[in-house]
Amino acid sequence: MCPYCSTRTPIHQTGPPDLRPLSVLRLTDTEWIQYRKDSGRGDTYKLFDREGWPKIRVVGFNDDTKSVLGACEPVGEEYIEVNWSVMDSLLFIGQRIEDQIHVALHHWVLATSDGVVFKSFGELVGQSSAFKTNEKIVLTLLVPSDLPEFLNSHMKEHTWNRLTPETTTSSNPLKKAKAEFHLIDPEASPNWKAYLDQRHKDNERVAEGLEDYMGEDLPFMYEKIEQAVDDVLLCTDLSEDERQKMHDCVVPLLPDVQDDGWGNVRSAGVLSRIYSAARPAAVDVYMRYHYRTRYESVEFFCNVYYRAHASVAKELKSSVPQSKKKLNGFKSLLEMGLKDLPPGRRWRAIEERSFDIDQAQVVGLHHILFGSQAAKRQGVEEGGEKHLSEKFGKADMLELMLAAVGVAFTTAREEEDDDGYDMGEMTWEGLQGSERWLGRNIRRVCGIEPMVGDDKDSEDEGAQDEDEDEDEDEDSEWEDEP
């Protein structure tokens, strides 16, 4: 019989929240030993419970919970501590807490001090920002009756834009855009009104998406895009204030990523819009990623596309490429993948890559996003500050476009530098080995001197079969298989 709800089953079944205080729900030592035995859950959680490992401190929110924690080790303190590891899961941490408080984790949740409530125990600690700190981690234990009060005072909210719009009484669209979006070296244009309307609409779309994660950590793709964008901006000649302005120009419209629950990305469809800070213009970037390991083969592709809006004169569409025959106005920036061969014992991983943007297209995109070269020359001749287009190089721009869809890539500019990805805690299989290929192509179209060894592949890059069939299946679709 369940000790919590008196049903005939020995283990508590999920149902309506039990609003009784923790002290009432706490089992005796004997009851807890029997409950653990009946649960049959095993001891896997003890693998990460080792002496000398870092500890999480768990505190109570109400007096009753604090008294229960005070009765545990260390006795007399209103908290308990449990070991944890970077390879841990919230479930394992919760089970260690259970063993100390003798209350099954069906009856309580954990929360961070900044208002993130872990509503389930299915998350890996590596996917939560709460565990990415060098300071001692402190979590609050909440029973269901605590939630309204806790959320009212601690609810974590998310925003994307860092800068607050300035006020203006002007009805001039350019002046309004400059005040609201902190433009840099803006050019005169009759299309600033359309730019204002479209950017408002896109910002509202992002804000509505972020509202879905109130009281939770953001999905990692938002954080990945933000970190990748910041890393690119930090390597430019922009001032700190200008970097914040350019950050707000990157608008993540569709950060859709699916992983396997263990940090391995299976598929992604990410759409971002990069607004110009100098012109009523924008560039959309879309990344499509797919990776599956089958019994006798591997499926992989990572394709990046762009769609230029040289002038935002009307409402912009947010459609994405559907297939190679239906790109919806996008052009290919790059494509990486494995040749589509029949699975079987004779299957081999044959890499296929194409870098499809050329130097003239790069120059055009740079003008769209950062303004005219004439304005740049005029600023230099007058001895004034560099124009935006001079502070932001062409290679910086391509890196920003990749960062906008979560692909963090650094292009080597000097011989002592290395081309490389920084994809964070999540694993993006298939990208490894393409670093030199991507770096040398970015250098080629951006007018950067080639590096020694640019004519060679990366050390771990697979050799191509000389007899490889170059024909592509133009009718192939990009639908992910379950």
Side-chain angles (χ1 to χ4, degrees):
M1 181 176 292
C2 175
Y4 292 109
C5 57
S6 299
T7 60
R8 293 182 180 276
T9 56
I11 299 301
H12 182 71
Q13 304 297 311
T14 57
D18 193 326
L19 300 181
R20 291 178 294 174
L22 207 68
S23 59
V24 175
L25 295 170
R26 191 181 191 207
L27 303 180
T28 65
D29 291 350
T30 302
E31 289 172 332
W32 181 252
I33 291 172
Q34 186 62 46
Y35 184 82
R36 280 289 319 279
K37 180 180 178 181
D38 292 339
S39 70
R41 70 187 185 192
D43 293 331
T44 307
Y45 69 100
K46 293 183 179 180
L47 293 175
F48 303 104
D49 186 8
R50 299 184 182 180
E51 192 66 31
W53 284 17
K55 293 182 179 294
I56 294 172
R57 178 168 294 184
V58 181
V59 300
F61 184 69
N62 62 52
D63 291 340
D64 180 81
T65 300
K66 292 176 182 177
S67 69
V68 171
L69 299 181
C72 304
E73 295 291 341
V75 177
E77 301 291 348
E78 294 183 343
Y79 64 84
I80 61 172
E81 292 187 337
V82 296
N83 293 334
W84 75 283
S85 161
V86 293
M87 299 296 292
D88 231 327
S89 71
L90 284 172
L91 175 61
F92 292 164
I93 292 171
Q95 289 173 337
R96 288 176 217 129
I97 295 172
E98 278 185 323
D99 279 350
Q100 291 203 41
I101 66 174
H102 293 182
V103 180
L105 51 77
H106 304 291
H107 301 286
W108 47 270
V109 296
L110 297 173
T112 65
S113 59
D114 62 349
V116 173
V117 178
F118 299 111
K119 298 178 180 178
S120 73
F121 289 90
E123 193 170 352
L124 298 175
V125 298
Q127 296 175 303
S128 172
S129 60
F131 296 87
K132 300 173 185 177
T133 177
N134 294 323
E135 300 178 356
K136 192 176 190 67
I137 298 170
V138 179
L139 301 178
T140 302
L141 192 150
L142 304 169
V143 295
S145 58
D146 291 332
L147 286 172
E149 182 180 352
F150 180 85
L151 293 176
N152 186 52
S153 57
H154 293 78
M155 174 69 81
K156 184 170 186 176
E157 298 181 359
H158 303 284
T159 59
W160 181 258
N161 288 343
R162 294 176 177 172
L163 299 178
T164 303
E166 297 176 356
T167 58
T168 179
T169 58
S170 175
S171 59
N172 181 281
L174 172 54
K175 292 182 178 179
K176 291 180 68 176
K178 189 172 183 179
E180 292 191 40
F181 300 121
H182 308 277
L183 304 179
I184 307 172
D185 301 329
E187 302 175 8
S189 171
N191 295 324
W192 283 111
K193 175 64 168 60
Y195 175 98
L196 267 169
D197 294 341
Q198 184 64 51
R199 196 162 171 184
H200 281 150
K201 183 178 298 184
D202 287 341
N203 284 350
E204 290 174 1
R205 175 177 172 177
V206 173
E208 290 173 359
L210 295 177
E211 285 181 2
D212 293 338
Y213 303 102
M214 290 180 63
E216 303 176 23
D217 270 337
L218 277 178
F220 82 91
M221 200 59 184
Y222 281 103
E223 296 180 354
K224 185 62 206 169
I225 291 173
E226 186 160 43
Q227 184 61 57
V229 168
D230 283 342
D231 289 346
V232 172
L233 298 178
L234 193 61
C235 295
T236 66
D237 291 334
L238 297 175
S239 67
E240 171 62 25
D241 181 58
E242 289 171 331
R243 290 199 293 270
Q244 303 306 311
K245 294 176 180 180
M246 283 302 305
H247 166 277
D248 289 357
C249 287
V250 179
V251 183
L253 298 176
L254 178 67
D256 181 22
V257 180
Q258 305 295 324
D259 68 274
D260 63 359
W262 293 96
N264 302 300
V265 178
R266 289 168 56 89
S267 62
V270 183
L271 172 67
S272 287
R273 178 163 290 154
I274 305 175
Y275 278 97
S276 170
R279 308 178 67 248
V283 173
D284 296 342
V285 189
Y286 180 71
M287 183 265 288
R288 185 72 167 165
Y289 173 92
H290 168 90
Y291 189 91
R292 293 288 191 284
T293 300
R294 305 299 186 186
Y295 181 67
E296 292 182 320
S297 65
V298 175
E299 301 168 0
F300 161 69
F301 63 76
C302 180
N303 303 333
V304 181
Y305 302 89
Y306 70 93
R307 177 171 57 197
H309 305 284
S311 183
V312 181
K314 58 182 180 180
E315 183 176 353
L316 302 183
K317 57 185 178 180
S318 298
S319 56
V320 299
Q322 300 299 316
S323 69
K324 291 186 176 182
K325 287 188 174 181
K326 190 177 180 181
L327 292 176
N328 288 324
F330 280 86
K331 296 180 180 179
S332 175
L333 195 160
L334 63 88
E335 296 185 355
M336 295 184 283
L338 296 177
K339 190 174 182 63
D340 186 13
L341 297 174
R345 289 183 301 171
R346 296 174 60 85
W347 182 89
R348 291 180 302 133
I350 299 177
E351 295 173 335
E352 295 182 313
R353 297 177 184 148
S354 63
F355 193 86
D356 300 316
I357 193 169
D358 60 31
Q359 193 166 17
Q361 291 168 324
V362 168
V363 171
L365 289 176
H366 193 268
H367 173 72
I368 288 172
L369 286 176
F370 304 108
S372 70
Q373 299 297 310
K376 179 185 78 172
R377 288 195 297 272
Q378 181 180 3
V380 173
E381 290 170 358
E382 295 175 355
E385 186 180 355
K386 292 180 181 178
H387 187 268
L388 176 62
S389 58
E390 189 175 27
K391 296 179 181 180
F392 217 103
K394 297 179 180 65
D396 299 326
M397 179 194 70
L398 288 182
E399 289 178 355
L400 180 68
M401 291 172 65
L402 294 175
V405 290
V407 180
F409 184 81
T410 301
T411 308
R413 271 76 160 179
E414 306 291 341
E415 290 294 347
E416 60 269 20
D417 298 334
D418 294 317
D419 303 309
Y421 296 100
D422 181 9
M423 300 306 288
E425 294 83 7
M426 303 298 286
T427 301
W428 296 72
E429 294 286 358
L431 298 185
Q432 66 276 10
S434 64
E435 296 89 343
R436 193 189 301 274
W437 169 81
L438 182 52
R440 70 172 175 244
N441 277 291
I442 291 177
R443 286 187 285 275
R444 175 177 57 81
V445 298
C446 294
I448 300 174
E449 288 293 322
M451 302 286 108
V452 173
D454 264 1
D455 58 338
K456 300 177 182 178
D457 291 332
S458 301
E459 293 181 2
D460 56 347
E461 192 169 356
Q464 298 291 324
D465 186 352
E466 294 181 358
D467 297 326
E468 173 186 339
D469 182 4
E470 299 294 339
D471 294 336
E472 295 182 356
D473 181 4
E474 294 294 333
D475 296 326
S476 63
E477 300 292 328
W478 303 330
E479 297 298 327
D480 288 339
E481 295 182 18

